[in-house]
Amino acid sequence: MNGQKERDGEISLKLFVVLSRAMQAIQKRVEANIKGFGLNLTEFAVLELLYHKGEQPIQKIGQKVLLASSSITYVVDKLEKKGYLVRQPCPNDRRVIYAVLTDEGKKMMEKIFPMHREAMMEILGGLTTEEKEWTIEKIKKLGLYAKKGESST
Amino acid sequence: MNGQKERDGEISLKLFVVLSRAMQAIQKRVEANIKGFGLNLTEFAVLELLYHKGEQPIQKIGQKVLLASSSITYVVDKLEKKGYLVRQPCPNDRRVIYAVLTDEGKKMMEKIFPMHREAMMEILGGLTTEEKEWTIEKIKKLGLYAKKGESST
DNA sequence: TATAATTATTTCGAAATCGAGATAATTGAA
DNA sequence: TTCAATTATCTCGATTTCGAAATAATTATA
């Protein structure tokens, strides 16, 4: 008998729908919040990476923020035009270009990151801290497994 | 003392990152799977809605699939060109246009939906059925809460 | 050393999505 | 009934992302 398998099929479909809807609602609110600072989610993610991890080669940014290389070029262009970062060629390897926060970029993040954290607590306030910890574990497992099979299925 | 609040801030940030990464990995695989049938995720979602719920007014589709009205026009155009659905004016209300699956569209879904379900079970195989059920509950709570506050924060 | 393979970044064109506004039909209120 | 407000769809221009290919530099191999 495989009623069990049938059931897992339905539940898997359901989980995907629920996850998609929740993410969309959450992202929409986070995006709205950050738009107030003249940034979109991607731009914020890049600035945050540089703010917390220091200067990064362009392509490292792509790996962390999960963007194609051509997309990063675009985002870094925009942030450079806005004055939040500069491109800095690596002296050892002339293929590499670092993205480096400007003082203005640093100041910006100092100002808005705490606000972002507050907003995050509010937006994700549907679960208690303990529930969030549990959920992080489960979602991490889910994500790692999905990533592992990237080539096979 | 508010060390508790500090902690929830960090955990909320973490949860957002984990959710984003997991969703991206999952979506990438689902997308890859469906691409084999010449569809993207949005097109599949629209076809699935019509397949399971029957013909729908264009704007109902937008609500269900969470797309702006202009985006649905675009998707429905594509599906119509591919021959999977047709537009059918509503006789009672001449503003309304229904999207209706063609026989070809129906046949297509009959063929690919079971495969999609199988793929889904595989992709989301990182959790047991019970864990999935638990996760659905939590993510639902999270999503509903985030949606509720859409206007305020 | 010369050549091939790899790596980092950019350019370019296409796809997907959005929001604002246009058009047309319906509903509600005076 | 008439006019204003609402509703459904579409058009248009802009934004964001992608993948394929171009360019340039580095590393590995023969």
Side-chain angles (χ1 to χ4, degrees), chain A residues 7-8 10 12 16 21 24 29 64 66 117 120 122 129 131-133 138 141 145-146 153, chain B residues 7-8 10 12 16 21 29 64 66 117 120 122 129 131-133 138 141 145-146 153:
Chain A
R7 182 159 153 262
D8 189 68
E10 295 314 314
S12 296
F16 181 65
R21 286 190 189 286
Q24 190 153 349
R29 285 196 59 196
K64 299 294 185 72
L66 304 181
R117 194 202 332 253
M120 230 48 185
E122 160 53 24
T129 303
E131 285 176 314
K132 283 176 197 165
E133 283 174 332
K138 299 302 179 193
K141 261 172 72 180
Y145 185 90
T153 303
Chain B
R7 183 159 152 262
D8 188 68
E10 295 313 314
S12 297
F16 181 66
R21 286 190 188 287
R29 285 196 60 197
K64 298 295 185 70
L66 304 181
R117 194 204 332 252
M120 231 46 187
E122 160 53 24
T129 303
E131 286 176 313
K132 283 176 198 167
E133 283 174 331
K138 299 305 177 191
K141 261 173 73 179
Y145 185 90
T153 300

Side-chain angles (χ1 to χ4, degrees), chain B residues 16-64:
Chain B
F16 181 66
V17 170
V18 167
L19 270 173
S20 300
R21 286 190 188 287
M23 265 319 274
Q24 191 153 351
I26 291 167
Q27 269 180 343
K28 204 168 146 194
R29 285 196 60 197
V30 177
E31 186 96 36
N33 200 261
I34 287 175
K35 192 166 296 169
F37 308 117
L39 298 171
N40 68 26
L41 212 39
T42 304
E43 292 168 330
F44 181 80
V46 171
L47 289 183
E48 204 218 315
L49 176 66
L50 301 182
Y51 182 58
H52 283 125
K53 301 286 169 65
E55 57 188 36
Q56 303 282 328
I58 295 270
Q59 122 275 63
K60 264 275 156 54
I61 298 176
Q63 291 171 348
K64 298 295 185 70

Side-chain angles (χ1 to χ4, degrees), chain A residues 28-75:
Chain A
K28 205 167 146 194
R29 285 196 59 196
V30 177
E31 185 97 36
N33 201 261
I34 286 174
K35 193 166 295 170
F37 308 118
L39 298 171
N40 67 25
L41 210 39
T42 304
E43 291 168 331
F44 181 81
V46 170
L47 290 182
E48 204 218 314
L49 176 66
L50 300 181
Y51 182 58
H52 283 126
K53 301 286 170 65
E55 58 188 35
Q56 302 281 329
I58 295 270
Q59 122 276 60
K60 265 274 155 54
I61 299 175
Q63 291 172 347
K64 299 294 185 72
V65 183
L66 304 181
L67 274 189
S69 62
S70 51
S71 307
I72 313 164
T73 296
Y74 172 74
V75 177

Side-chain angles (χ1 to χ4, degrees), chain B residues 131-143:
Chain B
E131 286 176 313
K132 283 176 198 167
E133 283 174 331
W134 187 91
T135 304
I136 286 171
E137 286 318 303
K138 299 305 177 191
I139 298 296
K140 229 191 243 174
K141 261 173 73 179
L142 201 59

Side-chain angles (χ1 to χ4, degrees), chain A residues 79-115:
Chain A
L79 288 171
E80 199 167 22
K81 272 181 202 128
K82 288 180 183 176
Y84 296 135
L85 58 76
V86 289
R87 280 178 163 90
Q88 214 168 74
C90 169
N92 306 328
D93 185 337
R94 293 200 328 227
R95 290 169 305 179
V96 174
I97 295 182
Y98 284 95
V100 185
L101 273 193
T102 59
D103 285 351
E104 196 188 342
K106 232 168 287 176
K107 230 175 277 172
M108 177 69 162
M109 286 307 288
E110 273 159 18
K111 193 183 92 186
I112 74 179
F113 189 74
M115 292 170 163

